[in-house]
Amino acid sequence: MPSYTVTVATGSQWFAGTDDYVYLSLEGTAGCSERHLLDKPFYNDFERGAVDSYDVTVEEDLGEIQLIKIEKRKYWYQDDWYLKYVTVKTPMGDYLEFPCYRWITDEKEVVLRDGRAKLPRDDKTQILKQHRRKELEMRQKMYRWKEWHPGFPLSIDAHSHSDLPRDIQFDNEKGIDFILNYSKAMENLYVNRFMHMFQSSWSDFADFERIFVRISNTISEYVMQHWKEDFMFGYQFLNGCNPVLIRRCTEIPKKLPVTMDMVECSLERNLTLEEEVKQGNIFIVDYELLDGVDANKTDPCTIQYLAAPICLLYKNLENKIVPIAIQLGQKPGPDNPIFLPSDATYDWLLAKIWVRSSDFHIHQTVTHLLRTHLVSEVFSIAMFRQLPAVHPLFKLLVPHMRFTIAINTKAREQLICECGLFDKANATGGGGHVQMVQKAMKDLTYSSLCFPEEIKAKGMDSKEDIPYYYYRDDGIKVWEAIRNFTEDVIHIYYESDEVVCEDVELQAFVKDIYVYGMRGVKASGFPKMIRTREKLAEYLTVVIFTTSAQHAAVNFGQYDWCSWIPNAPPTMRRPPPTEKGTVTIEQIVESLPDRGRSCWHLGAVWALSQFQDNELFLGTYPDEHFVEKPVKEAMAKFRKNLDEIVNTITERNKNKKLPYYYLSPDRIPNSVAV
C-alpha cells in the first residue's frame, strides 16, 4: 500500500505547542485518504519548536495531492497550536510543501494547498476554485470594516485586541500594553517620581536635565546641547523625526507679509528676498492644519494651547537650512508679529519652541498615526479580505502586515481613545487629534505616498541644491530596491498586462483600499483598478515602503529628537506671544510642559522608539510562504541590494556627530508593529 511521509513543524513562539489530538487527511486528484491521527507512542508530539514526522499509509494511490486537511480535537483543555508548515513526501519520492503559519484554535481545522503561488486563472479544478472561494468568504466574515471616527480611513471591526482573529494578535499581549510599557519606561528612565506632578513647573532649562542626563545618547545629547541654535532647528526639517513638511518656497504667501527689510540681515548672497526665492534658496513649513483645532481640555487645572505657525527658512552659503522668519498664527496683524533672528534672544527662542511644538503635533497625528499606522491597517485588512493564501501577492505582502492591525487596535483601546494615554501629555489630546486626522485626509493622496514623486512635488529632489537631505537620499535608495524586488516577483507570475487586468482578486484588493480606506474619494488619486505590470509594481512598492521604511523613518527617531522636552514640547501652557520685547526666561519655562506631562511624554517617546522583541527587518522572511526557486532568487537579490545600502549609509555616517540611520535597511522593520 502507498505510504506518505508527513512532516509537521510547530512554531517556536511561546505556547505554540499543543497536547490536543491532531488528525490529517490527504486529498488528491485520484481520491481522498481517511483521517489519520498523528501520534507517536511514548512521545510528546507537537511541542514548541518541534519538527515531527509520521508515516501515513493509504489503500491506493491518491494521485497528485491537491489539499491537506489538519483537524485539532481537544485532549484535556482548550489548547491553541501554531502550525508553521507541513511537508509531504509522496510514494514517488516527490516533496510537497504546505505553508500554514497560522494558529489553529479550539476544535478547528485548516485546509492547506501546496506552497506554489497561483493566480485565480491558474486553478482549473473545481475543488481548488472552491477552496479559494471558501477561504475568502471565511476571511471576509472575520475581517470586517468599521468606522472609528467620521472621515477616518476605515479600520478593523474589533473593540479590543482580544476580539481580533488569533492569527493577527500579538504572541504576548503584555508586550504591547501601552499603560504597562509607558510606566515601565518611566521607571527605567528614573523619572517615575515626577509622573504625578502635574501643574508643577520646572525651574529653568537646566532643570529638565533631571529627567534627561541618565538616558542621554549620541543624538539626544547633541540635541540637548545645541537645541537653541538656528542650525539645529533647521536641520530637523531635513533629518529629524518629521522630515516630510519642508518644501521649496516658490512665492511668499500673502498671509506671511515678510519684507526685505525684515530678513536682509539673514540673507548672505547680496540678493533681494524675491531673487533668493527665484534662485530656490527659500523654504517654507506651514502648520495651517492646526488652525482651528481644539486644544486639550481634559484637565481643568491646566489650560493648554496650540498654534498654527508659518516658518520661512533660508539655505545659507554653507548649504545649511536656517530659519529667517516665524509667524505664530495664520492671519497677519498687529497681534501676530513676525519673529526674526534679529529680535531679542528670548522672543526668537520662544517662537522657535512654538514651531517645534506644532511640528510635534503634526508628526504624531498626521505623519505617524494617519500616514503610516492607519494607512497600513487599510492595506492589511484589504489583503486579508481579498487575497487568499495561495495568491502570490498575499505571500509577498503578508510579512509587511505583521501585527499592524493588532498594534492599531491596542492604540484605539488605550492610547488614542477618549481618556486614553494620549490625553495625558498632549495639547492635541481630548479630541484635537481626531480633528487633525479628519482635516489631513484631504491631503492623503496616492501620489503623496509615492516617495520620489512626493519629494519632487515639494521641490526637494535636487541633491546639488540640498546636499544634506539624508531622509531623501536613503529613502530613494530603499524605494528603488523595493521597486526592483516587486518587479521581479510580478514578472514571475504576470507574463503580461492582460494577466494583471484579469486577476479579479488583485482588482478586489485595490478596490477595497480605494472604497474603504480612502472612502471612495476620487481626489485621493488612489486607483480603482490596476491595468499594467508597471503600475502594479509601483502600487506594491507604495504598500511595502509605507509599512516598512516610511514608518521606520518617522517612528524610531522619536526618542533621539523629542526626549529633550524644550525641543519638542507636547503641550504649551501659555498662549503664543502677541508682541515683541516682553518674553522672559520665566515665561518660557511656564509655557513648557509641567513635570508630570514631561514624564509621560518621555515615557511615550522612549517606548515608541523601541524595536519589538524578535523584530524582523526589511528583506528578512523566515516564514517561507513562497516555495518557488525564482522567487527565492529574487529575495536573495533584494537582500543583497539592501546590504549594499546598509554599507553605503554606514560609511557616510562614520565620524558624524549627527548620523542618519533611520532608513538603513538593517533598522527598518518589515511592518508597523510599534
Side-chain angles (χ1 to χ4, degrees), residues 253-270:
K254 288 187 174 65
K255 64 182 179 179
L256 181 65
V258 176
T259 65
M260 178 63 183
D261 288 343
M262 290 180 183
V263 298
E264 188 173 11
C265 61
S266 297
L267 307 181
E268 300 179 354
R269 294 179 175 85
N270 295 320

Side-chain angles (χ1 to χ4, degrees), residues 102-161:
R102 279 186 266 166
W103 287 93
I104 303 177
T105 59
D106 305 324
E107 295 195 330
K108 297 282 177 64
E109 61 185 48
V110 294
V111 180
L112 303 175
R113 290 182 57 164
D114 79 81
R116 292 170 297 176
K118 300 290 183 183
L119 297 175
R121 72 175 203 151
D122 297 328
D123 286 344
K124 306 301 182 187
T125 64
Q126 199 57 39
I127 187 173
L128 295 180
K129 289 178 181 179
Q130 187 181 32
H131 175 263
R132 197 174 196 120
R133 188 179 68 252
K134 278 188 174 179
E135 182 183 2
L136 288 181
E137 286 173 356
M138 182 186 69
R139 292 242 212 97
Q140 286 163 14
K141 289 176 184 174
M142 294 169 65
Y143 296 87
R144 301 174 306 278
W145 296 104
K146 182 182 179 182
E147 183 179 71
W148 189 54
H149 281 293
F152 272 50
L154 295 195
S155 50
I156 195 76
D157 183 5
H159 293 293
S160 66
H161 180 266

